[in-house]
Protein backbone atom coordinates (compact mmCIF):
# COMPACT_ATOMS: atom_id res chain seq x y z
CA UNK A 1 0.00 0.00 0.00
CA UNK A 2 1.48 3.31 -1.08
CA UNK A 3 0.35 6.25 1.04
CA UNK A 4 1.32 9.89 0.48
CA UNK A 5 0.16 12.75 2.68
CA UNK A 6 -0.57 15.64 0.31
CA UNK A 7 -2.03 18.04 2.88
CA UNK A 8 -2.08 18.15 6.66
CA UNK A 9 -3.50 20.54 9.24
CA UNK A 10 -4.73 20.21 12.82
CA UNK A 11 -8.25 19.37 11.67
CA UNK A 12 -7.78 17.58 8.35
CA UNK A 13 -5.21 15.36 6.69
CA UNK A 14 -5.54 14.33 3.04
CA UNK A 15 -3.83 11.22 1.68
CA UNK A 16 -3.26 9.74 -1.74
CA UNK A 17 -3.61 5.95 -1.40
CA UNK A 18 -2.36 3.64 -4.15
CA UNK A 19 -2.80 -0.07 -3.53
CA UNK A 20 -1.14 -2.66 -5.75
CA UNK A 21 -2.45 -5.75 -3.96
CA UNK A 22 -3.00 -8.61 -6.41
CA UNK A 23 -6.10 -10.70 -6.96
CA UNK A 24 -6.88 -13.09 -4.13
CA UNK A 25 -4.19 -11.67 -1.82
CA UNK A 26 -4.82 -12.60 1.79
CA UNK A 27 -6.60 -9.71 3.54
CA UNK A 28 -5.87 -8.67 7.10
CA UNK A 29 -7.68 -6.69 9.78
CA UNK A 30 -6.95 -2.98 10.15
CA UNK A 31 -8.40 -0.24 12.32
CA UNK A 32 -9.56 3.27 11.42
CA UNK A 33 -7.59 5.80 13.46
CA UNK A 34 -9.89 8.69 12.52
CA UNK A 35 -13.24 9.30 10.94
CA UNK A 36 -12.54 9.35 7.22
CA UNK A 37 -14.07 9.81 3.80
CA UNK A 38 -12.21 8.07 0.98
CA UNK A 39 -13.13 8.65 -2.65
CA UNK A 40 -12.33 5.74 -4.95
CA UNK A 41 -10.92 7.19 -8.15
CA UNK A 42 -9.61 4.03 -9.78
CA UNK A 43 -9.84 0.28 -9.40
CA UNK A 44 -12.11 -1.74 -7.15
CA UNK A 45 -12.01 -3.51 -3.78
CA UNK A 46 -14.22 -5.14 -1.20
CA UNK A 47 -14.73 -3.49 2.18
CA UNK A 48 -16.14 -5.21 5.24
CA UNK A 49 -16.79 -3.69 8.66
CA UNK A 50 -19.14 -4.45 11.57
CA UNK A 51 -20.56 -7.45 9.69
CA UNK A 52 -21.41 -5.48 6.53
CA UNK A 53 -19.72 -5.95 3.17
CA UNK A 54 -19.43 -3.45 0.32
CA UNK A 55 -18.06 -3.74 -3.19
CA UNK A 56 -16.47 -0.42 -4.06
CA UNK A 57 -15.75 0.84 -7.56
CA UNK A 58 -14.53 4.11 -9.03
CA UNK A 59 -16.80 6.85 -7.72
CA UNK A 60 -17.77 4.98 -4.55
CA UNK A 61 -17.01 6.48 -1.15
CA UNK A 62 -15.65 4.53 1.80
CA UNK A 63 -16.70 5.89 5.20
CA UNK A 64 -14.43 5.09 8.13
CA UNK A 65 -15.40 5.48 11.77
CA UNK A 66 -12.61 5.94 14.32
CA UNK A 67 -11.98 2.75 16.25
CA UNK A 68 -13.79 0.43 13.83
CA UNK A 69 -12.01 -2.61 12.48
CA UNK A 70 -12.20 -3.30 8.76
CA UNK A 71 -10.89 -5.59 6.05
CA UNK A 72 -10.23 -4.71 2.43
CA UNK A 73 -10.01 -7.42 -0.21
CA UNK A 74 -9.30 -7.62 -3.94
CA UNK A 75 -11.38 -10.34 -5.52
CA UNK A 76 -12.00 -8.78 -8.93
CA UNK A 77 -9.46 -6.10 -9.79
CA UNK A 78 -5.79 -5.71 -8.93
CA UNK A 79 -5.21 -2.54 -6.92
CA UNK A 80 -7.03 0.73 -6.43
CA UNK A 81 -6.46 4.44 -5.87
CA UNK A 82 -8.24 6.63 -3.32
CA UNK A 83 -8.18 10.22 -2.17
CA UNK A 84 -8.78 10.00 1.56
CA UNK A 85 -9.87 12.78 3.92
CA UNK A 86 -8.96 12.03 7.56
CA UNK A 87 -10.91 14.19 10.02
CA UNK A 88 -9.88 15.23 13.53
CA UNK A 89 -12.52 14.75 16.27
CA UNK A 90 -13.03 18.52 16.51
CA UNK A 91 -13.93 18.73 12.83
CA UNK A 92 -16.30 15.77 13.10
CA UNK A 93 -18.05 17.48 16.01
CA UNK A 94 -18.32 20.70 14.01
CA UNK A 95 -19.88 19.23 10.87
CA UNK A 96 -22.00 16.51 12.48
CA UNK A 97 -21.04 13.57 14.70
CA UNK A 98 -24.28 11.58 14.48
CA UNK A 99 -23.06 8.01 14.88
CA UNK A 100 -25.60 6.74 12.37
CA UNK A 101 -24.02 8.92 9.68
CA UNK A 102 -20.52 7.63 10.27
CA UNK A 103 -21.66 4.01 10.49
CA UNK A 104 -22.93 3.69 6.92
CA UNK A 105 -19.71 1.97 5.84
CA UNK A 106 -19.79 3.10 2.24
CA UNK A 107 -21.85 4.98 -0.33
CA UNK A 108 -22.36 4.14 -4.00
CA UNK A 109 -21.24 6.63 -6.66
CA UNK A 110 -23.33 9.77 -6.11
CA UNK A 111 -23.15 12.77 -8.46
CA UNK A 112 -22.87 15.40 -5.72
CA UNK A 113 -19.98 13.64 -3.98
CA UNK A 114 -18.25 12.75 -7.25
CA UNK A 115 -18.27 16.36 -8.43
CA UNK A 116 -16.97 17.55 -5.07
CA UNK A 117 -14.27 14.88 -5.07
CA UNK A 118 -13.19 15.92 -8.55
CA UNK A 119 -12.89 19.47 -7.27
CA UNK A 120 -10.58 18.19 -4.55
CA UNK A 121 -8.62 16.24 -7.16
CA UNK A 122 -8.17 19.41 -9.20
CA UNK A 123 -7.04 21.27 -6.09
CA UNK A 124 -4.54 18.51 -5.29
CA UNK A 125 -3.14 18.78 -8.81
CA UNK A 126 -3.09 22.58 -8.59
CA UNK A 127 -5.54 22.88 -11.47
CA UNK A 128 -8.07 24.85 -9.43
CA UNK A 129 -8.29 28.09 -7.49
CA UNK A 130 -9.85 26.19 -4.63
CA UNK A 131 -7.58 25.37 -1.67
CA UNK A 132 -7.23 21.64 -1.00
CA UNK A 133 -8.19 21.96 2.67
CA UNK A 134 -11.31 23.91 1.70
CA UNK A 135 -12.21 21.24 -0.85
CA UNK A 136 -11.73 18.63 1.86
CA UNK A 137 -14.08 20.47 4.21
CA UNK A 138 -16.60 20.80 1.41
CA UNK A 139 -16.36 17.06 0.76
CA UNK A 140 -16.92 16.27 4.43
CA UNK A 141 -19.84 18.66 4.77
CA UNK A 142 -21.46 17.37 1.57
CA UNK A 143 -21.18 13.79 2.80
CA UNK A 144 -22.82 14.63 6.14
CA UNK A 145 -25.64 16.45 4.36
CA UNK A 146 -26.28 13.55 1.99
CA UNK A 147 -25.90 10.75 4.51
CA UNK A 148 -27.77 12.32 7.41
CA UNK A 149 -30.11 14.81 5.76
CA UNK A 150 -29.00 18.40 5.33
CA UNK A 151 -31.62 19.91 7.60
CA UNK A 152 -31.19 17.52 10.51
CA UNK A 153 -27.41 17.55 10.56
CA UNK A 154 -27.17 21.31 10.29
CA UNK A 155 -29.73 21.79 13.03
CA UNK A 156 -27.77 19.51 15.32
CA UNK A 157 -24.56 21.39 14.58
CA UNK A 158 -26.26 24.72 15.23
CA UNK A 159 -27.43 23.53 18.65
CA UNK A 160 -23.86 22.72 19.65
CA UNK A 161 -22.33 26.09 18.87
CA UNK A 162 -23.09 29.33 20.72
CA UNK A 163 -25.35 31.85 19.06
CA UNK A 164 -23.42 34.64 17.34
CA UNK A 165 -25.18 37.82 16.34
CA UNK A 166 -24.78 39.33 12.88
CA UNK A 167 -22.59 42.23 14.04
CA UNK A 168 -20.13 39.86 15.66
CA UNK A 169 -20.10 37.65 12.58
CA UNK A 170 -19.27 40.60 10.35
CA UNK A 171 -16.57 41.83 12.69
CA UNK A 172 -14.87 38.47 12.81
CA UNK A 173 -14.93 38.16 9.05
CA UNK A 174 -13.62 41.68 8.48
CA UNK A 175 -10.89 41.31 11.11
CA UNK A 176 -9.87 38.01 9.51
CA UNK A 177 -9.69 39.70 6.10
CA UNK A 178 -7.50 42.43 7.53
CA UNK A 179 -5.23 39.82 9.07
CA UNK A 180 -5.00 37.99 5.75
CA UNK A 181 -4.16 41.22 3.96
CA UNK A 182 -1.31 41.92 6.38
CA UNK A 183 0.08 38.39 6.38
CA UNK A 184 -0.66 37.33 2.80
CA UNK A 185 3.03 36.77 2.08
CA UNK A 186 3.15 33.98 4.68
CA UNK A 187 2.19 30.32 4.27
CA UNK A 188 -1.37 30.35 5.63
CA UNK A 189 -3.84 27.50 5.88
CA UNK A 190 -7.46 27.43 6.97
CA UNK A 191 -6.66 26.29 10.51
CA UNK A 192 -4.31 29.22 11.09
CA UNK A 193 -6.78 31.91 10.11
CA UNK A 194 -9.65 30.12 11.87
CA UNK A 195 -7.66 30.21 15.09
CA UNK A 196 -7.23 33.95 14.64
CA UNK A 197 -11.01 34.23 14.47
CA UNK A 198 -11.57 31.89 17.42
CA UNK A 199 -13.71 29.45 15.42
CA UNK A 200 -13.46 25.94 14.08
CA UNK A 201 -12.24 25.81 10.45
CA UNK A 202 -15.64 24.56 9.30
CA UNK A 203 -17.62 27.33 10.99
CA UNK A 204 -15.10 29.98 10.02
CA UNK A 205 -15.16 28.99 6.35
CA UNK A 206 -18.95 29.31 6.25
CA UNK A 207 -18.94 32.59 8.16
CA UNK A 208 -16.25 34.22 6.02
CA UNK A 209 -17.91 33.26 2.75
CA UNK A 210 -21.35 34.33 3.98
CA UNK A 211 -20.17 37.77 5.08
CA UNK A 212 -17.62 38.61 2.37
CA UNK A 213 -18.83 36.55 -0.56
CA UNK A 214 -15.50 34.75 -1.14
CA UNK A 215 -13.70 31.98 0.69
CA UNK A 216 -10.64 32.78 2.81
CA UNK A 217 -8.36 31.20 0.21
CA UNK A 218 -9.89 33.20 -2.63
CA UNK A 219 -9.38 36.38 -0.63
CA UNK A 220 -5.81 35.41 0.24
CA UNK A 221 -4.92 34.77 -3.41
CA UNK A 222 -6.49 38.08 -4.45
CA UNK A 223 -4.45 39.88 -1.79
CA UNK A 224 -1.32 38.28 -3.19
CA UNK A 225 -2.22 39.22 -6.74
CA UNK A 226 -2.86 42.80 -5.75
CA UNK A 227 0.49 42.98 -3.94
CA UNK A 228 2.16 41.40 -6.97
CA UNK A 229 0.69 43.99 -9.32
CA UNK A 230 2.07 46.69 -7.08
CA UNK A 231 5.55 45.14 -7.17
CA UNK A 232 5.43 44.47 -10.90
CA UNK A 233 5.00 48.16 -11.53
CA UNK A 234 8.60 48.48 -10.32
CA UNK A 235 11.03 47.13 -12.95
CA UNK A 236 13.70 46.29 -10.37
CA UNK A 237 12.61 42.97 -8.79
CA UNK A 238 12.54 39.87 -10.96
CA UNK A 239 9.20 38.19 -11.61
CA UNK A 240 10.42 35.16 -9.63
CA UNK A 241 11.22 37.38 -6.64
CA UNK A 242 7.80 38.99 -6.90
CA UNK A 243 6.10 35.58 -6.89
CA UNK A 244 7.92 34.41 -3.78
CA UNK A 245 7.74 37.75 -1.98
CA UNK A 246 3.95 37.89 -2.16
CA UNK A 247 3.51 34.31 -0.98
CA UNK A 248 3.34 32.00 -3.99
CA UNK A 249 5.25 28.77 -3.52
CA UNK A 250 6.33 28.40 -7.13
CA UNK A 251 6.70 30.58 -10.19
CA UNK A 252 4.53 28.59 -12.60
CA UNK A 253 1.56 28.70 -10.25
CA UNK A 254 2.00 32.46 -9.85
CA UNK A 255 2.20 33.07 -13.60
CA UNK A 256 -0.84 30.89 -14.28
CA UNK A 257 -2.91 32.47 -11.50
CA UNK A 258 -1.91 35.99 -12.44
CA UNK A 259 -2.74 35.47 -16.11
CA UNK A 260 -6.13 34.01 -15.20
CA UNK A 261 -6.92 37.03 -13.05
CA UNK A 262 -5.39 39.82 -15.12
CA UNK A 263 -5.81 38.47 -18.63
CA UNK A 264 -2.11 39.01 -19.34
CA UNK A 265 1.11 37.49 -18.05
CA UNK A 266 3.10 39.16 -15.27
CA UNK A 267 5.71 40.14 -17.86
CA UNK A 268 3.12 41.75 -20.12
CA UNK A 269 1.55 43.48 -17.13
CA UNK A 270 4.95 44.88 -16.21
CA UNK A 271 5.45 46.12 -19.76
CA UNK A 272 2.03 47.76 -19.69
CA UNK A 273 2.86 49.35 -16.36
CA UNK A 274 6.01 50.69 -17.95
CA UNK A 275 4.02 52.39 -20.69
CA UNK A 276 3.69 49.84 -23.50
CA UNK A 277 0.28 50.98 -24.65
CA UNK A 278 -0.23 48.22 -27.23
CA UNK A 279 -0.83 45.71 -24.47
CA UNK A 280 -3.42 47.90 -22.81
CA UNK A 281 -5.15 48.54 -26.12
CA UNK A 282 -5.34 44.81 -26.85
CA UNK A 283 -6.88 44.14 -23.47
CA UNK A 284 -9.44 46.91 -23.93
CA UNK A 285 -10.30 45.51 -27.36
CA UNK A 286 -10.72 41.98 -26.00
CA UNK A 287 -13.04 43.21 -23.25
CA UNK A 288 -15.11 45.08 -25.79
CA UNK A 289 -15.37 42.02 -28.04
CA UNK A 290 -16.32 39.83 -25.03
Amino acid sequence: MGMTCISRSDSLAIYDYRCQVGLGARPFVERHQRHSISFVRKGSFGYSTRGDYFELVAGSVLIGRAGDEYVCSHDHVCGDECLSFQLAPELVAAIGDDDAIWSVGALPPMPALMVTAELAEAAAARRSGVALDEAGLLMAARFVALAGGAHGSRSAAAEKRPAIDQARDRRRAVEAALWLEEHAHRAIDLDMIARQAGLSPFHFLRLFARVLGVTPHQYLVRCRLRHAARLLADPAPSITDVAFDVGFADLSNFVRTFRRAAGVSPRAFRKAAQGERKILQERIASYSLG
Side-chain angles (χ1 to χ4, degrees):
M1 169 73 76
M3 179 180 69
T4 303
C5 182
I6 56 178
S7 177
R8 181 188 294 276
S9 65
D10 292 342
S11 61
L12 181 70
I14 303 176
Y15 291 88
D16 180 357
Y17 283 99
R18 297 173 184 262
C19 179
Q20 299 299 324
V21 172
L23 295 176
R26 183 176 179 178
F28 58 92
V29 177
E30 299 180 76
R31 185 183 300 273
H32 290 293
Q33 300 302 313
R34 283 185 167 191
H35 284 46
S36 61
I37 303 167
S38 301
F39 176 72
V40 184
R41 60 189 180 194
K42 185 177 180 180
S44 174
F45 61 96
Y47 174 66
S48 37
T49 182
R50 298 186 311 279
D52 293 325
Y53 177 83
F54 306 89
E55 197 71 61
L56 304 183
V57 296
S60 300
V61 180
L62 185 157
I63 308 302
R65 187 177 67 170
D68 280 357
E69 292 185 342
Y70 69 96
V71 176
C72 290
S73 57
H74 290 81
D75 298 329
H76 311 295
V77 175
C78 177
D80 59 88
E81 295 182 10
C82 295
L83 187 65
S84 182
F85 306 88
Q86 310 281 328
L87 286 64
E90 295 78 14
L91 178 55
V92 175
I95 65 174
D97 56 2
D98 185 344
D99 194 57
I101 294 175
W102 294 97
S103 299
V104 299
L107 292 176
M110 302 175 71
L113 285 179
M114 293 175 71
V115 169
T116 307
E118 290 300 328
L119 178 64
E121 290 273 9
R126 296 185 178 181
R127 292 183 284 102
S128 169
V130 178
L132 183 54
D133 54 0
E134 291 179 351
L137 288 177
L138 179 60
M139 183 74 174
R142 182 65 59 88
F143 157 69
V144 170
L146 291 173
H151 177 73
S153 60
R154 290 176 182 172
S155 297
E159 291 174 0
K160 293 180 181 179
R161 64 177 184 266
I164 302 176
D165 61 31
Q166 186 176 13
R168 188 180 181 191
D169 277 0
R170 297 186 67 83
R171 185 178 71 251
R172 279 181 162 171
V174 170
E175 288 177 352
L178 293 173
W179 190 89
L180 281 171
E181 169 73 21
E182 183 180 355
H183 299 89
H185 61 285
R186 296 172 52 184
I188 297 173
D189 60 24
L190 190 60
D191 285 270
M192 182 185 299
I193 185 60
R195 281 194 295 269
Q196 294 291 324
L199 294 171
S200 73
F202 176 72
H203 291 142
F204 173 73
L205 177 58
R206 293 201 304 176
L207 181 151
F208 193 99
R210 185 172 69 243
V211 173
L212 299 180
V214 294
T215 70
H217 180 70
Q218 288 172 327
Y219 185 76
L220 173 63
V221 171
R222 291 171 191 184
C223 286
R224 289 173 174 170
L225 291 173
R226 189 170 67 254
H227 296 168
R230 189 179 305 137
L231 292 175
L232 287 169
D234 180 352
S238 69
I239 292 176
T240 299
D241 287 341
V242 169
F244 292 148
D245 286 348
V246 301
F248 284 88
D250 67 87
L251 179 61
S252 61
N253 184 37
F254 167 65
V255 172
R256 184 170 57 251
T257 303
F258 191 93
R259 181 187 291 275
R260 188 165 57 234
V264 294
S265 69
R267 189 176 302 279
F269 181 88
R270 168 168 277 174
K271 288 181 179 179
Q274 294 302 308
E276 190 164 323
R277 299 190 61 81
K278 181 179 178 181
I279 295 174
L280 297 177
Q281 291 167 351
E282 288 175 349
R283 295 315 305 158
I284 292 172
S286 67
Y287 294 149
S288 300
L289 293 174

